[in-house]
């Protein structure tokens, strides 16, 4: 195990329950997840013990919001309270030489993302623990899940968390495709057809074009989760083996190796401590497993993650997810035509009751919608300008709408043309803005910052009523006036004047 | 047999041309200006000549099909078995084939005659009329009439066979029995009981008249669209059928609106409703392009002077006689009181097309069902989306109130994700009214996101005053003032900003606002408002200092 070279120093990630293992000798009980799993238990406990101590300590002063981050000399500790008393902590090594410079909020968003995805597939951790108090079930689900998730961050054999180079990205937001009105109307008309594919029972749907959202009927939070999952595993890009270079979610070749370890590790280490009932030993579903989805002949995507269709009832092999907003369990059907991916969600209880069969819904989709899907895909593809569609000459930008949980940014291929210093300056500026925002808490803060960095780049942050704009302008000769003008023009032209510049 | 084709000029007959042909018998109708000469043993070989202003056009010789009877005797076609009709400006020849019990259709083109299907017949005696471009085939033995619309490729009848009924001169009085036809009596003394349908003495005259020699009256056939729509179940083709009616455009239009309302209220599957809407929208779009659609408003303008036009609804008591012209005269002389009474109906029946504009669809269909459907707003939204798609495909515009209504419905069913998509993709076209509805729906649902959509729309529309006022209302008074300063808007009451800042207890803000306002509004420092708040500022700040 010691031979493990892949980031065993650079990253520790754990999840623990503060309500568990409060008595002497029972400390191991609080650990729900630890990465790397191979680490000896005493080290695991010391990381968690330190985190727990800090949380308890800081709660004395700030009971509402405990510790968020600790900056040690060599490490940053990022805290995220995923659910009441369920904490996720990430410890990352700082290393200027290797470019390991992070923005804390970007790291916290990684924790937030993996937790949201977990909840989407398995329900909340607290509910799982309550269902099965030994925690064995929770662990057996968390281990493969987070490990599968982390496999996205592997570049070669090295785990690479989002660094300052990804400062013009916002994890946990949705990227949308801008549609012309006539196509948008047709899309909405298709959405109505999809939603009524289960007869009187209303379904939910989401449509993506490549890695961009076209439409959704889900709440903003559910949209983000499902969108993230779709971009990771379902879209045409995710399915094609040559993984995209411009998507920030990279697929790593190391994934299979990780996965095989992940299922073994918990059973060998933690779970052996508990007596497990045989029920839990059944097939553990790993929704984030790589390369498990393929496109079937009828256009629907198929996977054996949820089991094989031959075993048990025909619908048991169909993926299910939980919706946050309604707390409903839904069947997930994915249909794909070229670059267009359609996700259809149907409440499971209606199907379990026998009111509806999934195959009937599939048939309905093919009958009612496939022709429209074909036409819409064709129309969108014709108008699609490629991955640089949202590139705006002279600007390197990120616009975030935190109300709608949307973002749009310069294509990553264009962002890489920025100098390292510019990216670092912008990263730092964003860090400052994050800090200001968290201080302001609920109140919506109005901010306008323009800084000229060392390499004469202008880095700009503009925050107004739930909308944020970050920008780097590498025109050293420009004055502050030129810069605000440039931002003002950008705002008027591309953000419908949302960012007023003085 | 020789045929002389003659031309009348200046009350004199002059031989223009002589054509020699073997002819057994001939048939001619003035309506079609077509002479058909039958020849051959079975009289089924035809030569046709059409008389036109440009001279006589010779049609190619053609043969009609006739089934052989079992006895192997060859049936002979007689002139009575042939009917020439004009439908939608096309000339058809209908040929009765008694052996096959079929009515063969031949369409005359400029240079060809093409058989276009056959209709089954159920009576050995048969006659044909045309009303409003519909082919009425009287099955005389069965005493029913079957209506065909030759516009569509399908040769299926428009409705089930319907009886022919007599309807008195009360004309448009719909309280009388449901019927597919009204026959206007030409003589008021003729009583209901006296008249037998399909008497032997009837002679059918093309296009829509029946000469009743027994009763010495002339009948005019009239379609009862209501009865036809009541006996037809396929709503989509029924709507198409109604949209093609010219004679009673207004009635057809009202029926269409009624059908559209009903299918929505009956909660028919969205696909069916979509088809129906598509029919209406395409028909409208077509009639606008063809120039037949006229705005109701124009009609209303002329409403005060009802003219005695050929209003089929109002064909009144008419004197004996067979001349149509006399009918019109009679109509003119009918009482003014009566005219007043049906003025509304008359002016609307002048509509030359039953086409329904998107605005009318909104007003008479969507707006009228909204209240009843509010619990089923999801269904209604689906229908409206299809409607918007349909009019967008035809590049038409619609009353912006439909957008206001869509927002209301989406907000009612809490479908905020879609509301946001509809707005950002401009499916809901931006307007002040729409923006205000967004603000209102956002307020009702305490959904700040929806409110922001409204605010963003106001800003995009450059409705500075409303934007600033709404911003202040939401508590963004600094942002609002900044915007006012940038866009030099002075119409917003300055006290709004000041009170908002004072209410939030932020003295720095209050001071800043006072300063900005004095720069923005000339003479602001002289107003009482300035003194009030300046005083307040000084008082409070000194008390804070103490």
């Amino acid at each position: 195990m010691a031979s493990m070279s892949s980031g065993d120093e650079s990253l520790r990630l754990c999840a623990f329950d503060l309500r568990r293992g409060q008595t002497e000798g029972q400390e191991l009980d609080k650990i729900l997840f630890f990465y790397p799993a191979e680490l000896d238990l005493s080290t695991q406990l010391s990381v968690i013990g330190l985190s727990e101590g800090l949380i308890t300590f800081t709660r004395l002063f700030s009971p509402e919001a405990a510790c968020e981050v600790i900056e040690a000399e060599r490490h940053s500790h990022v805290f995220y309270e995923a659910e009441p008393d369920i904490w996720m902590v990430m410890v990352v090594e700082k290393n200027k030489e290797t470019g390991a410079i992070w923005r804390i909020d970007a790291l916290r968003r990684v924790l937030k993302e993996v937790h949201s995805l977990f909840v989407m597939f398995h329900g909340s951790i607290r509910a799982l623990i309550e269902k099965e108090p030994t925690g064995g079930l929770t662990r057996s689900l968390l281990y493969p899940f987070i490990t599968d998730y982390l496999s996205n961050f592997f570049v070669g054999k090295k785990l690479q968390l989002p660094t300052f180079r990804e400062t013009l990205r916002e994890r946990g937001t949705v990227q949308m495709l801008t549609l012309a009105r006539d196509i948008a109307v047709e899309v909405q008309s298709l959405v109505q057809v999809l939603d009524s594919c289960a007869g009187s029972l209303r379904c939910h749907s989401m449509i993506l074009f490549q890695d961009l959202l076209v439409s959704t009927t889900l709440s903003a939070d559910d949209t983000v989760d499902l969108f993230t999952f779709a971009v990771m595993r379902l879209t045409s890009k995710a399915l094609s083996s040559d993984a995209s270079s411009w998507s920030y979610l990279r697929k790593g070749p190391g994934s299979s190796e990780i996965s095989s370890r992940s299922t073994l590790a918990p059973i060998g280490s933690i779970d052996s401590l508990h007596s497990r009932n045989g029920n839990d030993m059944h097939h553990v579903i790993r929704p984030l497993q790589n390369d498990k989805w393929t496109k079937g002949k009828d256009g629907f995507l198929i996977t054996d993650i949820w089991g094989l269709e031959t075993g048990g009832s025909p619908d048991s092999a169909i993926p299910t997810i939980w919706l946050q907003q309604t707390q409903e369990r839904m069947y997930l059907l994915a249909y794909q035509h070229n670059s267009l991916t359609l996700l259809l969600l149907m409440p499971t209880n209606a199907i379990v009751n026998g009111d509806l069969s999934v195959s009937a819904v599939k048939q309905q989709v093919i009958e009612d919608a496939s022709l429209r899907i074909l036409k819409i895909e064709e129309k969108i593809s014709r108008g699609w300008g490629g991955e640089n569609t949202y590139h705006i000459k002279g600007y390197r930008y990120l616009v975030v709408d935190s109300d709608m949980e949307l973002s749009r940014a310069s294509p990553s291929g264009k962002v890489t043309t920025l100098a390292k210093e510019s990216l670092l300056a912008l990263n730092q500026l964003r860090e400052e803005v994050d800090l200001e925002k968290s201080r302001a808490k609920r109140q919506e803060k109005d901010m306008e910052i323009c800084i000229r960095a060392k390499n004469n780049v202008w880095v700009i942050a503009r925050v107004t009523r739930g909308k944020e704009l970050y920008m780097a302008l590498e025109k050293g000769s420009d004055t502050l006036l030129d810069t605000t003008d440039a931002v003002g023009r950008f705002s008027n032209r591309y953000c419908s004047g949302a960012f007023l510049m003085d | 047999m020789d045929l002389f084709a003659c031309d009348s000029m200046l009350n004199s007959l002059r031989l223009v041309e002589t054509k020699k042909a073997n002819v057994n018998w001939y048939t001619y109708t003035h309506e079609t200006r077509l002479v058909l000469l039958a020849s051959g043993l079975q009289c089924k070989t035809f030569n046709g000549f059409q008389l036109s202003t440009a001279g006589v056009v010779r049609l190619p010789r053609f043969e009609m099909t006739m089934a052989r009877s079992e006895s192997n005797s060859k049936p002979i076609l007689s002139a009575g078995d042939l009917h020439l009709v004009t439908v939608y400006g096309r000339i058809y020849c209908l040929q009765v084939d008694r052996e096959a019990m079929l009515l063969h259709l031949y369409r005359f083109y400029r240079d060809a005659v093409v058989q276009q299907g056959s209709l089954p017949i159920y009576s050995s005696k048969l006659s044909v009329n045309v009303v409003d471009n519909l082919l009425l085939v009287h099955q005389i033995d069965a005493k029913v009439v079957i209506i065909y619309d030759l516009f569509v490729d399908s040769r299926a009848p428009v409705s089930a066979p319907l009886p022919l009924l007599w309807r008195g001169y009360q004309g448009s009085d719909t309280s009388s029995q449901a019927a597919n036809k009204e026959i206007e009596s030409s003589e008021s003394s003729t009583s209901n009981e006296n008249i037998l349908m399909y008497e032997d003495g009837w002679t059918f005259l093309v296009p829509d008249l029946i000469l009743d020699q027994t009763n010495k009256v002339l009948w005019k056939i009239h379609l009862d669209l209501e009865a036809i729509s009541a006996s037809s179940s396929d709503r989509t083709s029924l709507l198409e059928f109604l949209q093609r009616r010219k004679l009673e455009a207004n009635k057809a239009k009202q029926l269409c609106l009624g059908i559209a309302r009903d299918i929505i209220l009956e909660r028919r599957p969205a696909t069916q409703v979509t088809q129906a809407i598509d029919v209406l929208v395409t028909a409208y779009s077509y009639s606008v392009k063809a120039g037949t659609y006229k705005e109701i408003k124009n009609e209303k303008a002329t409403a005060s002077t009802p003219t005695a036009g050929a209003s089929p609804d109002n064909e009144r008591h008419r004197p004996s006689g067979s001349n149509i012209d006399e009918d019109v005269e009679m109509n003119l002389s009918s009482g003014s009181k009566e005219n007043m009474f049906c003025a509304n109906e008359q002016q609307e029946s002048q509509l030359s097309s039953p086409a329904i504009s998107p605005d009318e669809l909104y007003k008479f269909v969507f707006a009228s069902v909204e209240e009843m459907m509010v619990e089923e707003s999801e269904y209604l939204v689906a229908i409206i989306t299809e409607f918007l798609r349909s009019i967008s495909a035809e590049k038409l515009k619609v009353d912006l109130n439909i957008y206001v209504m869509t927002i209301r419905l989406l907000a009612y069913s809490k479908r905020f994700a879609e509301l946001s998509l509809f707005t950002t993709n401009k499916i809901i076209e931006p307007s002040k009214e729409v923006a205000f509805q967004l603000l209102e729906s956002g307020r009702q649902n305490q959904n700040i996101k929806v409110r922001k959509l409204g605010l963003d729309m106001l800003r995009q529309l450059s409705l500075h005053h409303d934007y600033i006022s709404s911003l202040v209302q939401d508590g963004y008074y600094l942002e609002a003032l900044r915007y006012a300063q940038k866009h030099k808007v002075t119409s917003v009451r300055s006290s709004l900003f000041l009170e908002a800042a004072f209410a939030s207890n932020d003295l720095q803000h209050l001071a800043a606002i006072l300063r900005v306002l004095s720069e923005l509004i000339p003479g602001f420092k002289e107003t009482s408002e300035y003194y009030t708040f300046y005083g307040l500022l000084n008082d409070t700040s000194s008390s804070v200092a103490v």
Side-chain angles (χ1 to χ4, degrees):
Chain A
M1 291 283 177
S3 64
M4 262 289 299
S5 62
S6 65
D8 48 346
E9 268 299 302
S10 61
L11 173 73
R12 307 248 187 284
L13 201 161
C14 58
F16 55 92
D17 181 2
L18 279 186
R19 297 181 193 168
R20 300 171 69 88
Q22 289 304 315
T23 44
E24 195 91 17
Q26 298 262 298
E27 289 89 350
L28 279 179
D29 205 30
K30 67 183 71 163
I31 309 178
L32 298 176
F33 173 81
F34 202 97
Y35 176 87
E38 302 81 7
L39 217 61
D40 57 280
L41 288 175
S42 60
T43 321
Q44 293 190 13
L45 274 179
S46 76
V47 171
I48 289 174
L50 173 67
S51 306
E52 192 183 354
L54 283 162
I55 292 164
T56 323
F57 178 65
T58 49
R59 269 189 177 167
L60 293 175
F61 313 103
S62 165
E64 292 298 303
C67 191
E68 286 179 342
V69 64
I70 300 167
E71 294 285 4
E73 194 186 350
R74 284 183 54 222
H75 293 95
S76 299
H77 298 241
V78 185
F79 290 74
Y80 173 61
E81 189 173 16
E83 292 169 33
D85 284 332
I86 291 182
W87 286 79
M88 296 176 83
V89 177
M90 188 191 259
V91 185
V92 290
E93 195 184 27
K94 299 182 200 175
N95 189 340
K96 289 239 156 83
E97 279 103 69
T98 59
I101 298 164
W102 332 98
R103 188 167 58 88
I104 298 304
D105 195 56
L107 295 180
R108 190 175 297 113
R109 276 176 180 270
V110 171
L111 295 175
K112 197 169 178 294
E113 182 172 272
V114 66
H115 176 257
S116 302
L117 287 173
F118 183 85
V119 173
M120 177 168 85
F121 286 108
H122 298 300
S124 77
I125 297 177
R126 181 59 70 204
L128 283 170
I129 292 174
E130 276 164 14
K131 191 168 132 199
E132 203 269 327
T134 66
L137 175 67
T138 315
R139 285 185 197 102
S140 69
L141 293 173
L142 270 174
Y143 268 91
F145 193 89
I146 300 182
T147 324
D148 284 338
Y149 175 79
L150 287 177
S151 71
N152 294 313
F153 294 98
F154 272 89
V155 179
K157 288 221 163 195
K158 201 164 153 46
L159 198 146
Q160 179 116 49
L161 287 170
T163 65
F164 68 96
R165 295 198 181 274
E166 285 170 36
T167 198
L168 284 177
R169 295 249 159 239
E170 189 76 337
R171 189 172 294 271
T173 57
V174 165
Q175 287 79 52
M176 288 214 63
L177 180 73
T178 306
L179 294 174
R181 183 178 187 265
D182 55 331
I183 302 176
V185 177
E186 278 181 52
V187 167
Q188 283 307 319
S189 152
L190 171 66
V191 168
Q192 310 290 1
V193 172
L194 290 177
D195 288 1
S196 57
C197 268
S200 57
L201 194 79
R202 212 175 97 84
C203 301
H204 277 290
S205 69
M206 184 189 277
I207 304 177
L208 293 99
F209 177 78
Q210 299 192 352
D211 286 351
L212 298 167
L213 184 75
V214 174
S215 88
T216 175
T217 63
L218 297 170
S219 71
D221 288 341
D222 287 321
T223 300
V224 169
D225 296 342
L226 194 57
F227 175 82
T228 308
F229 172 66
V231 170
M232 267 164 75
R233 296 289 182 261
L234 300 182
T235 57
S236 47
K237 285 196 172 187
L239 283 189
S240 61
S241 52
D242 51 329
S244 59
S245 55
W246 67 294
S247 166
Y248 65 89
L249 296 164
R250 294 191 198 85
K251 285 211 265 179
S255 54
S256 56
E257 168 193 344
I258 288 285
S259 326
S260 58
R261 265 190 288 123
S262 63
T263 38
L264 295 172
I267 299 163
S269 53
I270 310 279
D271 285 44
S272 56
L273 297 170
H274 306 282
S275 58
R276 299 189 49 158
N277 14 3
N279 301 352
D280 297 335
M281 291 305 288
H282 76 272
H283 173 67
V284 170
I285 292 164
R286 293 170 53 194
L288 293 189
Q289 228 174 329
N290 261 310
D291 305 320
K292 281 289 188 181
W293 290 83
T294 47
K295 194 174 155 184
K297 277 196 204 91
D298 56 358
F300 282 94
L301 301 185
I302 37 181
T303 179
D304 58 0
I305 291 177
W306 277 262
L308 291 165
E309 256 181 68
T310 46
S313 80
D315 293 343
S316 67
I318 299 186
T320 53
I321 62 165
W322 288 94
L323 289 187
Q324 269 183 53
Q325 200 193 27
T326 53
Q327 285 301 310
E328 257 182 307
R329 201 167 166 75
M330 309 290 259
Y331 278 122
L332 170 68
L333 286 183
Y335 181 90
Q336 200 163 76
H337 173 72
N338 295 348
S339 301
L340 209 62
T341 308
L342 298 95
L343 306 179
L344 195 64
L345 302 173
M346 300 157 285
T348 48
N349 50 7
I351 288 169
V352 171
N353 295 344
D355 298 342
L356 198 68
S357 88
V358 170
S359 53
V361 173
K362 281 187 176 179
Q363 193 55 39
Q364 200 71 35
V365 171
I366 291 170
E367 270 173 29
D368 293 354
S370 55
L371 201 69
R372 283 166 184 253
I373 294 170
L374 201 90
K375 277 190 191 152
I376 287 174
E377 203 276 342
E378 201 179 273
K379 277 191 184 169
I380 297 179
S381 296
R382 210 184 300 140
W384 170 240
E387 54 189 59
N388 281 341
T389 300
Y390 299 124
H391 172 56
I392 298 165
K393 211 167 161 244
Y395 295 93
R396 300 293 180 272
Y397 68 95
L398 166 69
V399 186
V400 182
D401 183 335
S402 44
D403 289 324
M404 305 295 176
E405 298 180 54
L406 301 175
S407 72
R408 173 164 294 172
S410 296
S412 53
K414 297 287 176 184
V415 173
T416 51
T417 64
L418 284 178
K420 188 183 173 191
E421 289 76 19
S422 311
L423 285 166
L424 279 170
L426 194 57
N427 196 55
Q428 206 179 346
L429 175 62
R430 287 205 64 186
E431 190 88 67
E432 294 293 327
V433 172
D434 290 342
L435 209 62
E436 278 298 315
K437 278 195 322 200
S438 77
R439 278 195 195 125
K441 285 289 166 214
R442 295 262 135 229
Q443 237 183 325
E444 281 180 333
K445 192 119 172 132
D446 223 47
M447 260 186 277
E448 184 177 338
I449 307 168
C450 290
I451 297 173
R452 190 168 191 154
K454 267 182 233 151
N455 65 332
N456 278 343
V457 68
W458 282 101
V459 287
I460 298 126
R462 183 79 180 84
V463 180
T464 183
R465 298 190 307 118
K467 291 194 174 76
E468 296 163 35
L469 170 69
Y470 302 99
M471 202 177 259
L473 297 173
E474 280 188 337
K475 276 190 205 156
S477 55
D478 282 359
T479 61
L480 179 61
L481 211 61
D482 296 334
T483 309
T484 40
D485 273 356
V487 179
R489 275 199 305 277
F490 180 90
S491 159
N492 287 335
R493 182 113 186 251
Y494 304 104
C495 313
S496 66
F499 304 100
L500 191 68
M501 300 299 285
D502 281 337
Chain B
M1 216 174 265
D2 285 349
L3 177 101
F4 297 93
C6 299
D7 200 2
S8 73
M9 284 181 121
L10 301 163
N11 290 333
S12 67
L13 280 176
R14 188 164 59 86
L15 181 66
V16 174
E17 209 180 344
T18 310
K19 287 185 196 292
K20 283 196 174 181
N22 286 323
V23 169
N24 296 338
W25 45 264
Y26 80 96
T27 183
Y28 171 80
T29 61
H30 181 67
E31 196 199 19
T32 56
R33 311 281 197 279
L34 192 69
V35 192
L36 282 184
L37 311 175
S39 57
L41 270 175
Q42 284 178 280
C43 309
K44 63 173 189 173
T45 311
F46 285 86
N47 283 309
F49 299 97
Q50 190 171 25
L51 313 177
S52 71
T53 47
V56 178
V57 181
R58 187 193 174 102
L59 294 168
R61 165 196 289 259
F62 67 101
E63 293 228 345
M64 288 191 176
T65 46
M66 288 192 76
R68 278 167 173 260
S69 68
E70 283 166 26
S71 56
N72 217 10
S73 69
K74 288 178 181 167
I76 295 166
L77 199 63
S78 73
D81 292 337
L82 222 58
H83 306 277
L84 286 171
V85 295
T86 314
V87 183
Y88 297 109
R90 309 163 181 171
I91 299 172
Y92 287 92
C93 177
L94 308 168
Q95 171 227 341
V96 182
D97 186 342
R98 275 179 230 287
E99 288 306 325
M101 288 300 265
L102 284 173
L103 185 64
H104 298 300
L105 279 170
Y106 302 87
R107 181 169 167 194
F108 290 86
Y109 292 91
R110 186 165 291 277
D111 51 1
V113 181
V114 179
Q115 187 175 355
Q116 289 195 331
S118 311
L119 308 171
I121 51 177
Y122 308 97
S123 161
S124 56
K125 275 178 79 186
L126 198 80
S127 196
V128 164
N129 274 131
V130 172
V131 181
D132 198 7
N133 289 324
L134 292 175
L135 181 66
L136 314 184
V137 181
H138 300 276
Q139 318 280 342
I140 294 172
D141 292 346
K143 300 200 175 184
V144 288
V145 61
I146 302 181
I147 305 171
Y148 296 94
D149 189 351
L150 297 184
F151 191 83
V152 284
D153 290 331
S154 151
R155 291 284 171 259
V158 170
S159 69
L162 289 163
L164 194 65
L165 294 175
W166 177 85
R167 190 170 286 176
Y169 53 82
Q170 58 268 51
S172 56
D173 182 5
T174 47
S175 65
S176 63
Q177 72 270 54
N180 77 316
K181 297 182 175 205
E182 289 174 0
I183 297 185
E184 308 279 0
S185 167
S186 51
E187 222 163 343
S188 54
S189 59
T190 322
S191 69
N192 204 346
E193 297 81 46
N194 286 350
I195 293 158
L196 288 169
M197 290 299 145
Y198 296 112
E199 274 193 272
D200 293 340
W202 282 18
T203 311
F204 292 87
L205 301 169
V206 175
D208 58 353
L209 298 171
I210 300 169
L211 188 61
D212 184 346
Q213 278 154 344
T214 328
N215 294 305
K216 305 261 186 294
V217 284
L218 179 75
W219 306 103
K220 185 174 168 66
I221 299 180
H222 175 79
L223 286 172
D224 185 345
L225 293 177
E226 272 167 74
I228 293 172
S229 32
S231 69
S232 170
S233 55
D234 180 352
R235 298 310 171 102
T236 311
S237 35
L238 178 61
L239 284 173
E240 283 173 347
F241 165 79
L242 287 173
Q243 285 294 308
R244 280 195 293 270
R245 301 288 62 83
K246 294 257 181 331
L247 225 48
E248 281 186 280
N250 183 51
K251 187 173 249 178
K253 183 168 178 166
Q254 294 310 322
L255 282 169
C256 286
L257 286 171
I259 292 167
R261 255 195 310 270
D262 287 347
I263 53 175
I264 294 175
L265 286 174
E266 287 164 15
R267 230 180 167 284
R268 296 289 183 95
T271 44
Q272 266 184 41
V273 183
T274 308
Q275 282 176 349
I277 288 171
D278 280 343
V279 167
L280 296 180
V281 172
T282 350
Y284 170 76
S285 169
Y286 175 78
S287 76
V288 166
K289 279 177 205 142
T292 49
Y293 180 81
K294 279 188 280 175
E295 287 282 335
I296 282 272
K297 285 166 205 154
N298 303 341
E299 299 289 331
K300 292 242 162 82
T302 59
S304 51
T305 54
T307 49
S311 153
D313 275 346
N314 296 303
E315 278 174 29
R316 313 254 136 227
H317 177 191
R318 79 177 66 114
S320 58
S322 56
N323 199 322
I324 300 287
D325 292 349
E326 275 179 49
D327 291 346
V328 178
E329 276 169 37
M330 200 48 213
N331 240 348
L332 270 171
S333 61
S334 62
S336 61
K337 190 184 159 203
E338 209 176 5
N339 263 348
M340 291 278 280
F341 177 71
C342 49
N344 187 46
E345 204 170 321
Q346 267 202 340
Q347 54 99 358
E348 287 205 0
S349 63
Q350 287 170 10
L351 293 179
S352 54
S353 155
I356 302 168
S357 73
D359 287 355
E360 289 169 314
L361 267 179
Y362 162 70
K363 203 165 136 200
F364 297 113
V365 179
F366 294 110
S368 74
V369 300
E370 186 190 359
E371 212 167 292
M372 286 174 270
M373 301 278 295
V374 88
E375 293 303 320
E376 285 154 302
S377 54
E378 301 198 340
Y379 172 73
L380 200 50
V381 168
I383 304 296
I384 292 176
T385 312
E386 292 300 335
F387 173 55
L388 293 178
R389 182 194 52 72
S390 195
I391 57 173
S392 148
E394 295 290 341
K395 301 203 171 16
L396 299 170
K397 289 273 168 209
V398 66
D399 192 320
L400 60 88
N401 279 316
I402 196 150
Y403 301 123
V404 176
M405 180 176 160
T406 312
I407 295 167
R408 228 172 13 233
L409 291 168
L410 283 169
Y412 182 85
S413 45
K414 307 253 178 285
R415 287 159 66 183
F416 300 118
E418 282 149 288
L419 181 53
S420 148
L421 280 171
F422 270 76
T423 314
T424 47
N425 284 331
K426 301 213 165 42
I427 295 175
I428 291 176
E429 289 182 1
S431 66
K432 188 172 173 175
E433 288 80 356
V434 165
F436 279 142
Q437 181 62 47
L438 284 168
L439 289 172
E440 173 64 16
S441 294
R443 195 186 55 76
Q444 280 170 357
N445 292 285
Q446 275 141 33
N447 189 317
I448 189 84
K449 296 175 194 175
V450 176
R451 256 196 93 81
K452 279 185 180 172
L453 287 174
L455 280 171
D456 287 348
M457 191 175 284
L458 285 177
R459 190 187 58 236
Q460 284 164 41
L461 293 168
S462 297
L463 295 165
H464 298 320
H465 178 88
D466 299 302
Y467 178 61
I468 293 167
S469 314
S470 309
L471 268 183
V472 177
Q473 260 180 44
D474 286 7
Y476 299 106
Y477 54 89
L478 281 185
E479 180 83 354
L481 188 63
R482 210 171 162 209
Y483 190 86
Q485 197 181 10
K486 178 106 182 171
H487 292 272
K488 309 256 178 304
V489 182
T490 52
S491 60
V492 181
R493 275 192 301 124
S494 46
S495 58
L496 272 182
F497 302 107
L498 293 163
E499 278 158 17
F502 188 68
S504 70
N505 232 343
D506 194 324
L507 294 177
Q508 264 185 317
H509 285 178
L510 189 60
I513 289 169
L514 276 176
R515 192 179 50 77
V516 171
L517 284 176
S518 17
E519 279 172 20
L520 186 66
I521 306 167
F524 179 71
K525 281 194 170 172
E526 276 74 55
T527 59
S528 60
E529 225 165 46
Y530 178 78
Y531 282 113
T532 317
F533 283 95
Y534 190 70
L536 278 172
L537 188 64
N538 282 337
D539 289 355
T540 342
S541 55
S542 57
S543 68
V544 167
V546 169

